[in-house]
Structure formats: C-alpha cells, structure tokens
Amino acid sequence: MSRPDWLAGAGAVLALWNDVDEEVAADYEDWHANEHVPERLTVPGMLGARRFEADGRRSRPRFLTLYALHDAQVLQSAPYLRLLSHPTPASARMRPHLRNLSRWVCRVQQASLRWIEAPVAVHTGAHAPAPGGEANAVLVAQRLPDAPGLPWLAAGQAVTVQGTWLVLRPAGDGDAGPAPDMDVCRPLPIAQTRC
C-alpha cells in the first residue's frame, strides 16, 4: 500500500528520467514496476519511490522515477553499488533499450509529508524558487553538481536535463495549465514497495 509520507526522513532524492525503445515498452513497464524499483528499495537508506509518465506534450524524457534517500551517500553504499554492478538478467536485457537517460542526485530543500497520488507538474530550472514562491510544491530539491553517473551507460544513451532545481507541485494547482518548461506527469504503479 502506498504511504503519503514516503519522503519522511529524506535528505536527498534521486531523479531518473528515461525513454525506452517502443518495441520493449510492455516489457519495460512490467520489469520497472515489478522488479527494478522494488529491488532498489531493498537498499538500506532508500526510503521510498514514485514512478511517473509524462502526459502528452513534454520537454523531458517520458518517464521519471524518484527515489527518496536518507542522504546522497546511499548511492555510494556497497548494497547499491552491488545492484549496479550485478544486474538481474531482466535488468541486463533492458539496459540497452533505455534511451535519453538523465540522472540527478538532489538535496531536498522542501518536501510535503502528505503526498497525494495524483498528477504532478514537474519543473527543472536554473534558479532557486523565490522564498515562499513554491508554497504549494510537494517537492523542491537542488541538484548536487558532482554526483556520479551510471557506470553502465553506453554512448548515445544519455541526455542532459537542464537545470539545478527540481520542483514538483500538484498539476493544475491554481493555474490555467503547465508552463512551456513544465511536464504534467501521471503516477504509475509500483509493486511490492515498502511505502
């Protein structure tokens, strides 16, 4: 069952954007929801996760996965590094089909502990939100500049998502529609999660 306080205790967030080859889209969905994300949540210090898919027009890759971390050092821990270096057979098969990957490790600046399972507007920008300017945000996080990338990425798989700040807020919350640099993303299921 999904908990609304999945960000409780999170000092950092790992944000991963990606597309996938269309011919394996159904396999990707099954693998990502039922194996990959639940496997990552076995790592001590990974507190919870949320998966999203951009609806319609988008300025970034189609899928976004957020992992709540106790702190950024979780991504340097032996259990996490073991998962990267020893993928499951399904993960090894899926990796070459992933496209436009962008990986942000962020420090949490503001997080709502009453997360609502509904579409969110996702914004990445170069400037910090104005104080009080994101009062309705469910997540505000600042990208850490020196975070390591994924060691298994092949040439041509990565894309750069521009910005330093990640802001998520309820979609359509008080505005006529998303700004041109904002994607509206709907939540996707995750099986057997701890949150």
Side-chain angles (χ1 to χ4, degrees), residues 57-80:
R57 178 193 57 79
R58 54 194 169 97
S59 58
R60 283 167 285 279
R62 176 178 170 188
F63 297 103
L64 169 62
T65 307
L66 299 175
Y67 296 94
L69 309 173
H70 180 264
D71 57 42
Q73 293 306 309
V74 170
L75 302 177
Q76 299 301 316
S77 70
Y80 179 76

Side-chain angles (χ1 to χ4, degrees), residues 18 20-37 51 62-63 89-91 93-95 97-98:
N18 69 278
V20 66
D21 291 335
E22 195 55 41
E23 67 268 16
V24 297
D27 291 339
Y28 167 83
E29 184 59 29
D30 180 57
W31 164 76
H32 202 252
N34 297 306
E35 178 185 304
H36 184 72
V37 173
R51 299 175 60 236
R62 176 178 170 188
F63 297 103
S91 293
R93 280 192 309 274
M94 194 57 61
R95 282 179 176 179
H97 296 284
L98 300 175

Side-chain angles (χ1 to χ4, degrees), residues 131-155:
E134 288 294 345
N136 62 345
V138 292
L139 176 66
V140 177
Q142 183 179 19
R143 185 178 189 178
L144 300 174
D146 298 325
L150 293 170
W152 55 265
L153 276 182

Side-chain angles (χ1 to χ4, degrees), residues 37-148:
V37 173
E39 176 193 49
R40 294 307 190 251
L41 292 175
T42 67
V43 172
M46 282 206 166
L47 307 174
R50 290 295 180 271
R51 299 175 60 236
F52 299 95
E53 180 179 15
D55 284 344
R57 178 193 57 79
R58 54 194 169 97
S59 58
R60 283 167 285 279
R62 176 178 170 188
F63 297 103
L64 169 62
T65 307
L66 299 175
Y67 296 94
L69 309 173
H70 180 264
D71 57 42
Q73 293 306 309
V74 170
L75 302 177
Q76 299 301 316
S77 70
Y80 179 76
L81 294 175
R82 192 170 19 263
L83 292 180
L84 288 182
S85 62
H86 296 88
T88 67
S91 293
R93 280 192 309 274
M94 194 57 61
R95 282 179 176 179
H97 296 284
L98 300 175
R99 299 283 176 251
N100 302 323
L101 277 99
S102 188
R103 183 180 192 258
W104 284 27
V105 180
C106 304
R107 182 179 306 108
V108 172
Q109 301 294 325
Q110 173 186 329
S112 171
L113 300 185
R114 299 299 305 160
W115 190 276
I116 297 169
E117 296 298 327
V120 293
V122 179
H123 170 75
T124 56
H127 304 289
E134 288 294 345
N136 62 345
V138 292
L139 176 66
V140 177
Q142 183 179 19
R143 185 178 189 178
L144 300 174
D146 298 325

